[in-house]
Amino acid sequence: PTRGSTGATSSPHLLLLNRSLCTYLFSRCMMESHSDAGSDPFDDGSSSEASFNDAEDRSNRLFQYPPDTDTTKVEGSGRDGWLRNLTNEEWEELGRNIANHSRVEIRLYDGAINDHKMALFFRGLTESSSIRIMELYDNGLSAAAVRSMVPFLQNATNLKELHLDNNNIQSEGFNIMFRAFRDSPIETLLCNDCGIESIEIENDYFPKHLVHLGLCGNNIETDGCRGLANLLQGGDSTLELLDLSHNFIDNEGVEVLVEALQSNISLKTFDLGGNNGISNQGRIMLLKLVNDISSISATLHSNH
């Protein structure tokens, strides 16, 4: 022990402890004071930077650059937890980032995106004209999601394929989309299992380059067939493959379609399988469409 000028006994260990205690108490006061202002005095910004980088990394995971090609692929599944954690701002920023690439193929499926995220995503994507293929199947999308796509679809001068299978866009969404495709180069449009019943196709509002239309597994009846007739009739039709399997088409619907196809020279594949309302009467109408059954010789020389 040593004796100070006041005569009190002091210990160097106790002095060291007291200094440490003072430092700790001062640090705690500073932290609580800054905590009220929403910041940490000992935060050098590294945690915020890490958070930003995590968000950037999440978006970048979607981008793929296959070798020996100039195509950029953007792909993600709703089964990936990190994709579900993208914020609203990140979805919009992702759209803008994609717009800066050329020759893009997008595949977002299995719950990767919903109606709300579609609005954000396509807000950033609106001005993009570089997307060639877009697959958005199994996402539970409604007509609201299609409305979010309209400005993009009207500007998508290179979009060749759009896959929307297993969503719930229904007739409203399909008709909105089809009108938006008026001047589009779209060649393949797949809307299988989308809850579509009625189809409204005006003579001047359908894609002029459409080759493949998939409408399997919907609720299309005779009224829907009347809408499709506008797409099939006339010499300007470009459609080569039409899939109407597993709908609710009966003999009356077949009659409408057969009449429209009398002058059609483009269609090569026409699938009506699984429409249980079509009886032998309907099948005979289809047989007569592709075969001249007036005689054996005529049948051999007809288009079958």
Side-chain angles (χ1 to χ4, degrees), residues 143-155:
V146 176
R147 281 193 289 270
S148 301
M149 296 172 65
V150 168
F152 161 77
L153 295 177
Q154 292 173 333
N155 294 321

Side-chain angles (χ1 to χ4, degrees), residues 116-157:
H116 175 64
K117 293 174 182 177
M118 284 280 287
L120 299 165
F121 181 53
F122 279 91
R123 186 185 302 165
L125 203 61
T126 297
E127 300 301 324
S128 176
S129 60
S130 61
I131 298 172
R132 299 174 61 250
I133 298 174
M134 179 175 288
E135 299 182 8
L136 301 173
Y137 52 87
D138 289 310
N139 287 305
L141 303 176
S142 72
V146 176
R147 281 193 289 270
S148 301
M149 296 172 65
V150 168
F152 161 77
L153 295 177
Q154 292 173 333
N155 294 321
T157 55

Side-chain angles (χ1 to χ4, degrees), residues 22-96:
C22 290
T23 301
Y24 170 76
L25 292 174
F26 175 76
S27 300
R28 290 299 303 168
C29 289
M30 289 293 293
M31 290 179 68
E32 291 173 3
S33 173
H34 283 273
S35 175
D36 293 337
S39 61
D40 186 340
F42 298 104
D43 184 4
D44 61 359
S46 59
S47 60
S48 298
E49 184 66 26
S51 177
F52 174 79
N53 288 335
D54 288 345
E56 189 174 37
D57 289 342
R58 285 200 299 267
S59 296
N60 287 337
R61 287 186 194 181
L62 293 168
F63 287 86
Q64 301 175 12
Y65 305 94
D68 302 323
T69 178
D70 58 354
T71 298
T72 300
K73 294 187 177 182
V74 179
E75 183 168 347
S77 167
R79 290 171 290 183
D80 299 324
W82 60 269
L83 182 56
R84 294 195 300 270
N85 291 330
L86 287 183
T87 65
N88 293 344
E89 293 77 11
E90 289 166 2
W91 274 106
E92 188 169 347
E93 183 62 27
L94 175 62
R96 286 194 291 266

Side-chain angles (χ1 to χ4, degrees), residues 220-230 232-233 244 248-263 270 272 275 277-289:
I220 298 171
E221 299 179 341
T222 301
D223 286 342
C225 292
R226 292 192 180 98
L228 287 168
N230 290 328
L232 295 172
Q233 62 192 2
L244 292 175
F248 295 94
I249 299 171
D250 57 14
N251 294 338
E252 186 180 0
V254 170
E255 185 176 5
V256 171
L257 294 170
V258 166
E259 180 63 28
L261 287 168
Q262 294 294 334
S263 58
F270 186 23
L272 284 170
N275 286 280
I278 301 176
S279 67
N280 286 338
Q281 179 186 349
R283 297 185 185 98
I284 290 172
M285 285 188 282
L286 291 167
L287 184 62
K288 289 181 178 180
L289 176 65

